[in-house]
Amino acid sequence: MAQIDETHDPGLRSWVASANGHPDFPIQNLPLGVFTPPGGGVPRGGVAIGDMVLDLAAAHAAGLFTDEAARAAEAAAGGTLNALFALGAGPRRALRARLSELLAEGGAGRGEAEACLHPAARCALHLPSRIGDYTDFYVGIHHATNVGKQFRPDNPLLPNYKWVPIGYHGRASSVVPSGTPVRRPNGQRKRADEAAPSHGPSRNLDYELELGVWIGPGNALGEPIPIGAAAGHVAGFCLLNDWSARDIQGWEYQPLGPFLAKSFGTTVSPWAVTPEALAPFRAAQPPRPEGDPAPLPYLWDEADQREGALALELEVLLLTPGLRERGLPPHRLALSDARHMYWTAAQIVTHHASNGCNLRPGDLLGTGTISAPGEEGCGSLLETTQGGKKPIRLASGEERRFLEDGDEVLLRARARREGFATIGFGECRGSVLPAPACAAAPGEST
Amino acid sequence: MAQIDETHDPGLRSWVASANGHPDFPIQNLPLGVFTPPGGGVPRGGVAIGDMVLDLAAAHAAGLFTDEAARAAEAAAGGTLNALFALGAGPRRALRARLSELLAEGGAGRGEAEACLHPAARCALHLPSRIGDYTDFYVGIHHATNVGKQFRPDNPLLPNYKWVPIGYHGRASSVVPSGTPVRRPNGQRKRADEAAPSHGPSRNLDYELELGVWIGPGNALGEPIPIGAAAGHVAGFCLLNDWSARDIQGWEYQPLGPFLAKSFGTTVSPWAVTPEALAPFRAAQPPRPEGDPAPLPYLWDEADQREGALALELEVLLLTPGLRERGLPPHRLALSDARHMYWTAAQIVTHHASNGCNLRPGDLLGTGTISAPGEEGCGSLLETTQGGKKPIRLASGEERRFLEDGDEVLLRARARREGFATIGFGECRGSVLPAPACAAAPGEST
């Protein structure tokens, strides 16, 4: 499954100077995305290399790719990567091999490739795909436990948790790329001490630290994906902030689950980090605690248990107006790791398709909040502040129970392993805009 | 809002003979859809008239439309109606007026129009739009009450029900047009008397009788739709069967709602019946029972209360292998009416967008099961058989607690009003195929 080759060589350096030692995008990463170049034009596929973006359509037009790599570059030339994701691992791997060669110090074709580079800071970065459907899971067992404890202190996890990779359908239309501001939603809220709900801006706006999974080839309706084949249907990973309005959620979610508490915005990092780039950071799925059931046969695969997990540091930072004014650095809200997923990416893919549900290229799966044990590992304010009961104090003197207007949340991911170049995911950031004005009652002034 | 004009004249007859007296598609209906003609070719927009389909692209090419009607026909020429739905009511109304003129007895242009007709029975009918997102609501208060009673006999409705139009995100990829067989899903099931769940074919497969709403222009992310403008964002209606695996649902749905219990298939009738066609069948929203709260201001609009409901008979029929073998007619499972919606279509549109969530042209909303009071009005077997406890007996001697392989479910809708031509929605039908073989445990034979 996880194949290490010359593209992972930690000694490899690029003639794109900013790539060497780049915290996210050294030549060993080569993530895929969609961008508009500084001069404008139509969105097109690109690859991040250091502080630059390589235009895949232009590089293809310049004749830099042949065979399978050309097929991949051609599929990436349009405004979305759906067609590239549909091709599966073969062409994607060929593209990676060729890009590694092209961008490496001393690589032939540097002149032509250099003409296809744009400074990333001056490009507009888009969603990598047209998302057909977005599904959010709940695989962070520490998160599920922390949240469950607030309702059932002695029995935080529901009886199905260790059997079923719990998930729900999310809203695809409101998934936005990093940097897009998120408007605080209005909605119905009802505190325990209120007799009736009222409609207005959410008072308990939260973030959620998640990984996103971009779907590759997918399956036809009615044809499940066996667990042994599931990894082949993952085209890439991203960071995902599942913004959540806890007060709206608390009032609306019975009996059909979260709805408007989530669908006002979901932020993803724009670069799809490929399974190939992540091959060195594969890890064994941590053994289940004594007494936990084994996964049912349809979710059990030896190779997946052996290397289906990801060793990936996950970090959440908060930048408030007060910190910004005083020139203080962002406050670290959480440090976690993708190894705290109770189910692997392959298991959620297989479970999702187990009823015959068709996954399509470019679909997005969220893992659910990935918290680590302990207060510093909490992937949401619901956990960190215990639903607002224990505010966080910041170096600026500010307090936070939940997010306030003007706050900015940043997610980061970093994969490190002795003997390999560290790679990252780039930023997943978004700041909170005030809620729009509410509709007034008839005859009521706004 | 509901505008009656010469296209609704009950005396209007069409030169398409099968349209006159047609139970669904007389000239007063003119619903929009996407089809492939008998000879093959690419899918394109069409209009149902009696037993025929008029090819909108061909009619447009023949010069049969001008101005706004031409704009609408052009938007309908491609493989989906998303672009037409995006245009809103104006061009759609102009298209309807011109079609009514063209297809009426004595209408000029008959020769050219006749050349654009195909027998519906020989056309392939597709989904009318590429569905960006599908959301399912829960507005059938008798359904919610019937289901709630099985868990909480004394207090069937949860405290939020009469305040919040409850809904959840559904799966867009598995929405299929009428006639597509539906595979029984495999999934995790756990009966109360079982110690652990097992994975296998659903034992409690059910249907749900719903209306679907096709979204028109929609809204930008962050910009709610005021209730007074909501009706303008509805492009059409259809029938919707929200197939449900009750055993999978019961085990998986806590705490995030229905997921794999629903996403294996959702059947819709292929013709979008326009708000214009339904204008004569608008009704006042029934007064809320004494003691129920008034809708919050953002959901309250006088015109919507006055004519936001639909008087529309809804019917469910079951055809089993036994009935078919004996040449017996389908068994009527339920007769209901769209007036049993606790919230109007406008209210669910506004609620959906109230947090800023963007609705896009061609999105689909389901109303949730619309049951009428009484056993004959139950829009699902969960209600009719009380979760399988009271089987239905059929004229063939068969019994049904839930659906069996080979069963076919048909939904029908009919709008009738004194002084107007009756119109219908066409059929929403699907039959149940056996579940695919399950993955075996390692070393286990299948």
Side-chain angles (χ1 to χ4, degrees):
Chain A
M1 191 155 100
Q3 198 178 307
I4 311 282
D5 59 31
E6 60 280 11
T7 64
H8 301 101
D9 179 352
L12 215 54
R13 291 173 58 85
S14 175
W15 50 260
V16 179
S18 61
N20 303 315
H22 194 280
D24 289 314
F25 307 131
I27 190 169
Q28 292 82 1
N29 194 346
L30 304 173
L32 303 163
V34 172
F35 77 105
T36 306
V42 295
R44 66 205 64 184
V47 173
I49 175 76
D51 293 338
M52 308 296 279
V53 178
L54 179 86
D55 183 328
L56 284 171
H60 180 50
L64 291 172
F65 305 113
T66 58
D67 304 324
E68 286 289 271
R71 218 175 128 215
E74 208 170 311
T80 72
L81 300 184
N82 296 71
L84 174 62
F85 291 172
L87 293 177
R92 200 174 61 225
R93 195 173 280 138
L95 180 65
R96 172 180 172 84
R98 175 60 181 145
L99 286 167
S100 176
E101 197 178 80
L102 261 180
L103 295 166
E105 274 182 352
R110 171 172 175 172
E112 292 92 327
E114 212 155 9
C116 305
L117 286 178
H118 301 282
R122 295 181 50 225
C123 295
L125 296 171
H126 309 291
L127 293 178
S129 72
R130 182 170 52 70
I131 302 169
D133 279 287
Y134 158 49
T135 302
D136 202 15
F137 282 86
Y138 198 52
V139 309
I141 191 165
H142 303 297
H143 169 72
T145 305
N146 292 339
V147 173
K149 265 184 194 159
Q150 301 186 10
F151 301 97
R152 299 169 299 276
D154 299 329
N155 210 4
L157 292 176
L158 291 168
N160 58 9
Y161 189 84
K162 293 179 173 178
W163 296 95
V164 180
I166 296 290
Y168 68 101
H169 306 296
R171 180 82 191 173
S173 70
S174 52
V175 178
V176 295
S178 178
T180 311
V182 169
R183 267 204 182 279
R184 179 183 300 273
N186 291 308
Q188 289 194 31
R189 318 138 310 170
K190 185 185 163 303
R191 275 195 304 248
D193 63 343
E194 292 172 325
S198 59
H199 183 254
S202 169
R203 299 158 180 147
N204 298 353
L205 186 61
D206 201 354
Y207 72 92
E208 288 195 340
L209 168 63
E210 306 196 11
L211 273 186
V213 174
W214 296 107
I215 294 296
N219 59 313
L221 185 60
E223 296 178 12
I225 296 175
I227 181 73
H233 292 278
V234 174
F237 294 86
C238 64
L239 284 160
L240 187 152
N241 182 350
D242 178 28
W243 303 89
S244 299
R246 300 300 179 192
D247 44 357
I248 297 174
Q249 189 173 353
W251 175 234
E252 77 171 0
Y253 91 107
Q254 294 277 20
L256 301 181
F259 178 44
L260 301 189
K262 304 278 193 172
S263 60
F264 58 93
T266 304
T267 306
V268 295
S269 57
W271 294 107
V273 178
T274 65
E276 292 72 54
L278 290 166
F281 311 102
R282 286 287 172 184
Q285 180 66 352
R288 291 186 159 204
E290 180 96 17
D292 282 12
L296 287 176
Y298 78 103
L299 294 173
W300 197 90
D301 177 70
E302 210 179 296
D304 184 49
Q305 292 296 312
R306 205 170 52 233
E307 52 177 10
L310 273 177
L312 189 63
E313 228 177 74
L314 303 170
E315 195 183 9
V316 189
L317 301 161
L318 173 68
L319 195 57
T320 62
L323 290 168
R324 219 180 278 116
E325 273 165 28
R326 287 164 189 75
L328 292 164
H331 175 89
R332 182 195 270 175
L333 283 170
L335 186 65
S336 184
D337 196 288
R339 272 177 296 192
H340 296 298
M341 289 167 61
Y342 192 76
W343 302 98
T344 66
Q347 286 175 320
I348 63 178
V349 165
T350 288
H351 181 65
H352 202 323
S354 65
N355 68 342
C357 178
N358 49 332
L359 308 183
R360 295 178 294 188
D363 281 357
L364 176 63
L365 312 186
T367 55
T369 309
I370 306 179
S371 297
E375 209 172 301
E376 302 71 28
C378 290
S380 68
L381 289 171
L382 178 65
E383 298 163 79
T384 315
T385 71
Q386 295 185 18
K389 288 200 282 284
K390 294 193 168 181
I392 294 169
R393 269 165 242 288
L394 308 176
S396 52
E398 293 166 299
E399 273 194 358
R400 284 294 180 274
R401 293 166 193 273
F402 286 101
L403 298 172
E404 301 196 359
D405 294 346
D407 285 357
E408 185 171 38
V409 177
L410 286 85
L411 311 185
R412 277 192 201 141
R414 209 133 285 161
R416 302 179 212 272
R417 187 175 150 200
E418 188 66 31
F420 287 91
T422 296
I423 65 171
F425 277 42
E427 272 180 359
C428 178
R429 71 158 76 209
S431 51
V432 179
L433 297 181
C438 281
E444 196 185 312
S445 67
T446 34
Chain B
M1 191 154 102
Q3 201 178 306
I4 310 284
D5 59 29
E6 60 279 11
T7 65
H8 301 101
D9 179 352
L12 215 55
R13 292 174 56 87
S14 175
W15 51 260
V16 180
S18 61
N20 303 315
H22 195 279
D24 289 315
F25 306 132
I27 190 169
Q28 291 83 359
N29 192 347
L30 304 172
L32 303 162
V34 172
F35 76 105
T36 306
V42 294
R44 70 212 51 190
V47 173
I49 175 78
D51 293 338
M52 307 297 278
V53 178
L54 179 87
D55 183 329
L56 283 170
H60 180 49
L64 292 172
F65 305 113
T66 58
D67 303 324
E68 286 289 271
R71 218 175 128 214
E74 208 171 309
T80 71
L81 300 185
N82 297 71
L84 174 61
F85 290 172
L87 294 178
R92 201 175 59 227
R93 196 172 281 138
L95 180 64
R96 171 181 173 82
R98 175 61 181 145
L99 286 167
S100 176
E101 199 179 78
L102 261 178
L103 295 166
E105 274 182 352
R110 171 171 174 174
E112 294 93 327
E114 212 155 8
C116 304
L117 287 179
H118 302 282
R122 295 182 48 226
C123 295
L125 294 171
H126 309 292
L127 293 177
S129 72
R130 182 171 52 69
I131 302 169
D133 278 287
Y134 158 49
T135 303
D136 202 17
F137 283 86
Y138 197 52
V139 308
I141 191 165
H142 302 297
H143 170 71
T145 306
N146 292 340
V147 173
K149 264 184 194 158
Q150 300 186 10
F151 301 98
R152 299 169 300 277
D154 299 328
N155 210 3
L157 292 176
L158 291 167
N160 57 10
Y161 189 84
K162 293 178 174 179
W163 296 94
V164 180
I166 296 291
Y168 68 101
H169 306 295
R171 180 81 191 174
S173 70
S174 50
V175 178
V176 296
S178 178
T180 311
V182 168
R183 267 202 182 281
R184 179 183 299 274
N186 291 308
Q188 289 193 32
R189 319 139 310 170
K190 185 186 164 301
R191 276 195 302 247
D193 63 344
E194 293 171 325
S198 59
H199 182 255
S202 169
R203 299 161 181 144
N204 298 353
L205 186 61
D206 202 354
Y207 72 91
E208 288 194 340
L209 168 63
E210 305 196 11
L211 272 186
V213 173
W214 297 107
I215 294 295
N219 60 311
L221 185 59
E223 298 179 12
I225 296 175
I227 181 73
H233 293 278
V234 173
F237 293 85
C238 63
L239 283 161
L240 187 152
N241 182 349
D242 178 27
W243 303 90
S244 299
R246 301 298 179 193
D247 43 357
I248 297 175
Q249 188 173 354
W251 174 235
E252 77 170 0
Y253 92 107
Q254 293 279 20
L256 301 182
F259 179 44
L260 301 189
K262 304 277 193 174
S263 61
F264 59 93
T266 305
T267 306
V268 294
S269 57
W271 294 106
V273 178
T274 65
E276 290 72 53
L278 290 166
F281 312 102
R282 287 288 172 183
Q285 180 66 353
R288 291 186 160 205
E290 181 95 15
D292 282 12
L296 287 175
Y298 78 103
L299 294 174
W300 196 90
D301 178 70
E302 211 179 296
D304 184 48
Q305 291 296 311
R306 205 173 50 233
E307 52 177 9
L310 272 176
L312 190 63
E313 230 177 74
L314 303 169
E315 195 183 11
V316 189
L317 301 162
L318 173 69
L319 195 56
T320 62
L323 290 169
R324 217 179 279 117
E325 274 165 29
R326 287 167 190 73
L328 292 165
H331 175 89
R332 181 195 271 176
L333 283 170
L335 186 65
S336 183
D337 196 288
R339 273 178 295 192
H340 297 296
M341 291 167 61
Y342 192 76
W343 301 97
T344 66
Q347 285 175 320
I348 64 179
V349 165
T350 288
H351 181 66
H352 202 321
S354 65
N355 67 342
C357 178
N358 50 330
L359 308 184
R360 295 178 293 189
D363 282 357
L364 176 63
L365 312 185
T367 55
T369 309
I370 306 179
S371 296
E375 208 171 301
E376 302 71 28
C378 289
S380 68
L381 289 171
L382 179 63
E383 298 162 78
T384 315
T385 71
Q386 295 185 19
K389 287 199 282 284
K390 293 194 170 181
I392 293 170
R393 269 165 242 288
L394 307 176
S396 53
E398 294 166 299
E399 272 194 358
R400 284 295 180 272
R401 293 166 193 273
F402 286 101
L403 298 172
E404 301 198 359
D405 294 346
D407 285 358
E408 184 171 38
V409 177
L410 287 86
L411 311 185
R412 278 193 199 142
R414 209 132 286 162
R416 300 179 213 272
R417 188 176 149 200
E418 188 66 30
F420 288 91
T422 296
I423 66 171
F425 276 43
E427 271 180 1
C428 178
R429 69 158 77 210
S431 51
V432 178
L433 296 180
C438 282
E444 196 185 315
S445 66
T446 35

